[in-house]
Amino acid sequence: LDVIEKNVFSKTSIENISIPSKLTQIGENAFYDCRNLQTVEISKDSELQSIKENAFSNTLIKSIIIPSNLTKIGESAFSYCKELINVDFLSPSKLRSIEKSAFSSSSIEKISIPSNVSLIEEQTFSSCKKLKNVTFDMNSQLRSINNSLFECTALESIVIPQHVTYIGEKAFCNCGQLKKVEFSTDSNLQLIQKYAFSNSSIEFLSI
């Protein structure tokens, strides 16, 4: 088994799934709206490379391990996973892109973004109301913090990676607990769009 095709288990009563190590792709909507799904087991030697759109959206999974060979997390892949607290990336991670709304409206409390991630699309973590801590690897390749990326989260502080050139509209809007924003001394930042930090509680900003 190399691929779980789209819609295969969507809206079923499945409660747990163990992903075969040779699997390379989990298709679009594969486990979408499986409202009893609590456990997804992915082995450390997994060859999984892609999790497609809405693959686990609106399930009850509590944690997920992202294997090192994964390169892309699709749009809304884990959105509305109200019980999802822990997301762990195995190193060395090959992950390069996280698409729009991938983790939006989940219950993630912290996330550490691997260094090879160069693209995180808009709204990826929006309305993650328990998300307090976001860290980026020192060698982060991230180029932009896109629109509404962290809107309506519980972030308290953030260090913007060196290679980020752009912060989009409402990127940190309605982050009522955000007090501290730091940029590296060799930051490549060129543009901060409107409302990027509106309705936050910033006390310290170093540009």
Side-chain angles (χ1 to χ4, degrees):
L1 184 65
D2 295 327
V3 175
I4 296 178
E5 299 289 351
K6 66 178 183 180
N7 301 317
V8 171
F9 297 102
S10 179
K11 299 187 178 183
T12 62
S13 297
I14 192 170
E15 295 180 357
N16 56 72
I17 183 77
S18 181
I19 304 298
S21 61
K22 297 295 183 183
L23 195 80
T24 59
Q25 179 178 296
I26 298 175
E28 179 181 339
N29 298 315
F31 298 94
Y32 170 71
D33 206 24
C34 290
R35 299 190 181 188
N36 295 317
L37 181 60
Q38 297 184 41
T39 306
V40 177
E41 296 179 5
I42 301 177
S43 64
K44 291 184 178 180
D45 61 346
S46 172
E47 296 177 13
L48 189 63
Q49 296 174 21
S50 177
I51 298 175
K52 295 288 189 177
E53 293 86 346
N54 295 301
F56 295 100
S57 180
N58 204 28
T59 62
L60 292 178
I61 59 173
K62 294 179 172 66
S63 64
I64 190 76
I65 291 175
I66 305 297
S68 58
N69 286 314
L70 197 81
T71 60
K72 185 175 81 168
I73 298 175
E75 181 175 336
S76 299
F78 298 95
S79 65
Y80 294 98
C81 290
K82 298 293 188 181
E83 302 296 320
L84 181 60
I85 294 174
N86 294 313
V87 178
D88 293 312
F89 300 94
L90 295 183
S91 59
S93 174
K94 296 179 182 177
L95 188 66
R96 297 193 178 278
S97 63
I98 305 175
E99 295 187 346
K100 180 180 177 181
S101 303
F103 295 98
S104 64
S105 298
S106 68
S107 295
I108 293 172
E109 295 177 352
K110 61 180 180 179
I111 192 97
S112 181
I113 307 297
S115 61
N116 286 324
V117 175
S118 58
L119 174 65
I120 305 177
E121 292 188 354
E122 61 191 63
Q123 301 175 356
T124 292
F125 299 103
S126 67
S127 297
C128 291
K129 295 183 178 179
K130 295 182 180 179
L131 181 60
K132 288 187 174 183
N133 186 275
V134 174
T135 56
F136 298 92
D137 190 275
M138 277 187 64
N139 300 313
S140 174
Q141 298 303 304
L142 191 66
R143 294 297 191 266
S144 60
I145 293 179
N146 286 312
N147 295 357
S148 300
L149 184 57
F150 297 107
E151 185 176 3
C152 294
T153 63
L155 279 178
E156 296 174 347
S157 65
I158 189 81
V159 178
I160 307 297
Q162 174 189 346
H163 297 298
V164 168
T165 61
Y166 169 88
I167 297 177
E169 287 185 25
K170 298 184 177 181
F172 297 94
C173 179
N174 294 318
C175 292
Q177 298 177 57
L178 181 62
K179 294 183 178 181
K180 187 175 182 180
V181 180
E182 293 184 74
F183 299 86
S184 63
T185 54
D186 50 357
S187 171
N188 295 332
L189 188 68
Q190 298 175 17
L191 178 65
I192 300 176
Q193 288 279 30
K194 62 183 179 181
Y195 310 126
F197 296 97
S198 65
N199 294 327
S200 67
S201 298
I202 290 177
E203 296 175 351
F204 179 86
L205 181 64
S206 171
I207 299 180

